[in-house]
Amino acid sequence: MLPHDPTTPVPHGFAEIFAEALGASTFTLVQLQQELARRKVMLSVATLSYWQTGRSQPARAGSLRALGVIEEILGLPNGTLLSALPRSAQPAWSPITALEDHEPASQVLESMGLGFNNPLSNIVLADFTHCGLPGGLERQAVRRLVCADAEGVRRFPGVFHGAEPGLHPPRVVPGTGIQLGEVIEIPGQCAVAVEFLFPHPLSLGELAWYEYTVEWEADDDPHNYHSLALTTQVKAVTMGAIFHEDPPAAARLLHTTPDGSTISQLASWGQTKGDIQFTLRNAPPGIMDLEWWAAGSDPVWS
């Protein structure tokens, strides 16, 4: 269970949360600076004071990395301070770079006047894949709560891949809170780029909840994984697989850092009895891979 309702915007900014956490601890600013130095993190007392009073906030890469150490010292949940910063101050990356051949998708989005850096922050994300549907179909169902980081946000992009070239490209079906604009097939790939539209332009800081589904033709290979790319930290992510035929024997959830240097196992399931679901608070940026396999099969650490 989440310690607070993630659909409710946090009423305090970074400075207030940092000041409250410091006040509730046994550390003074000087003691915190000394403890950071002991852990090879060099910040001045003046910098920490500016952060506490709101005169400045962490912006450089070294300062952003230091927040994790401060959270550990003050006994805060992982990501508490980082997620309190404006989205523009959080480290971000583009998941399109994780694709082997991302140029065609980038070119199609550019022709639509869109890019992967859109002014929306994910607050809550639920992403489920449906396996073994009648008619040889697979389906992805997505629900998101987002916050507008700019004034007048009306549209944003999506890129969706099917099973393999030669099959029909995936079909995107908008649900509650969203409309579908332009849809263009990506040359040489079983994929489409789509334009999502809100019913009205969002104001800065406005929340929006929307849903959509994606369906595609299954190929001859078993559907045994589901991937999700997070560009920044997300307050709450739920990821799962729903099996319309026999469930797998075991499964696991992996996280790969944006630079690809570290793969961590976040959860594992043995002797599954049915569907798989996992919820993570303050999910870090990177690739989340949910993998499953039948009895007698061995997983491959990729």
Side-chain angles (χ1 to χ4, degrees):
M1 178 179 294
L2 298 173
H4 64 82
D5 181 0
T7 64
T8 302
V10 177
H12 301 298
F14 172 83
E16 290 84 357
I17 291 176
F18 179 38
E20 289 176 5
L22 187 63
S25 74
T26 59
F27 289 88
T28 64
L29 279 177
V30 173
Q31 291 170 332
L32 176 60
Q33 187 271 338
Q34 292 172 343
E35 180 62 20
L36 286 168
R38 190 180 70 82
R39 302 187 187 203
K40 311 300 182 184
V41 177
M42 299 305 180
L43 291 174
S44 68
V45 174
T47 295
L48 293 171
S49 176
Y50 288 166
W51 291 358
Q52 181 188 28
T53 58
R55 292 179 63 184
S56 67
Q57 64 184 17
R60 296 181 179 179
S63 297
L64 294 171
R65 288 193 296 268
L67 295 182
V69 183
I70 295 175
E71 289 166 351
E72 182 179 346
I73 294 172
L74 299 182
L76 298 173
N78 180 43
T80 299
L81 295 177
L82 181 62
S83 61
L85 290 171
R87 183 175 184 267
S88 59
Q90 298 185 29
W93 66 291
S94 174
I96 194 69
T97 59
L99 301 176
E100 291 183 3
D101 185 12
H102 61 263
E103 274 304 316
S106 299
Q107 291 172 2
V108 170
L109 286 176
E110 185 177 351
S111 73
M112 300 166 70
L114 295 168
F116 274 90
N117 296 321
N118 63 84
L120 292 170
S121 294
N122 283 302
I123 299 177
V124 178
L125 169 59
D127 195 315
F128 284 83
T129 185
H130 292 250
C131 307
L133 291 167
L137 293 176
E138 312 291 356
R139 178 186 301 143
Q140 179 187 11
V142 178
R143 304 176 71 193
R144 295 176 190 255
L145 176 70
V146 296
C147 178
D149 292 326
E151 189 70 32
V153 179
R154 177 72 198 281
R155 64 189 192 126
F156 63 95
V159 173
F160 302 96
H161 287 76
E164 62 180 27
L167 298 177
H168 291 295
R171 183 172 70 100
V172 183
V173 181
T176 303
I178 206 74
Q179 300 167 0
L180 199 60
E182 194 173 8
V183 179
I184 300 179
E185 291 189 28
I186 298 174
Q189 300 181 4
C190 182
V192 294
V194 304
E195 174 191 33
F196 285 117
L197 300 170
F198 290 116
H200 65 272
L202 302 182
S203 301
L204 175 64
E206 183 177 350
L207 299 180
W209 181 266
Y210 65 88
E211 307 172 351
Y212 65 84
T213 60
V214 185
E215 290 187 347
W216 64 94
E217 287 183 274
D219 58 11
D220 294 332
D221 292 330
H223 183 190
N224 61 355
Y225 73 93
H226 181 47
S227 295
L228 172 64
L230 303 179
T231 58
T232 59
Q233 181 171 277
V234 180
K235 290 184 181 296
V237 170
T238 297
M239 193 174 181
I242 298 173
F243 302 97
H244 297 261
E245 295 177 344
D246 294 335
R252 68 183 179 186
L253 180 66
L254 305 178
H255 172 261
T256 304
T257 53
D259 61 6
S261 63
T262 304
I263 302 177
S264 305
Q265 181 169 290
L266 302 181
S268 63
W269 297 263
Q271 302 299 318
T272 62
K273 303 298 182 182
D275 302 335
I276 302 168
Q277 178 176 314
F278 181 78
T279 298
L280 181 64
R281 184 178 184 272
N282 291 321
I287 302 292
M288 311 283 284
D289 285 308
L290 181 61
E291 303 176 345
W292 55 89
W293 55 96
S297 301
D298 294 323
V300 177
W301 190 283
S302 56

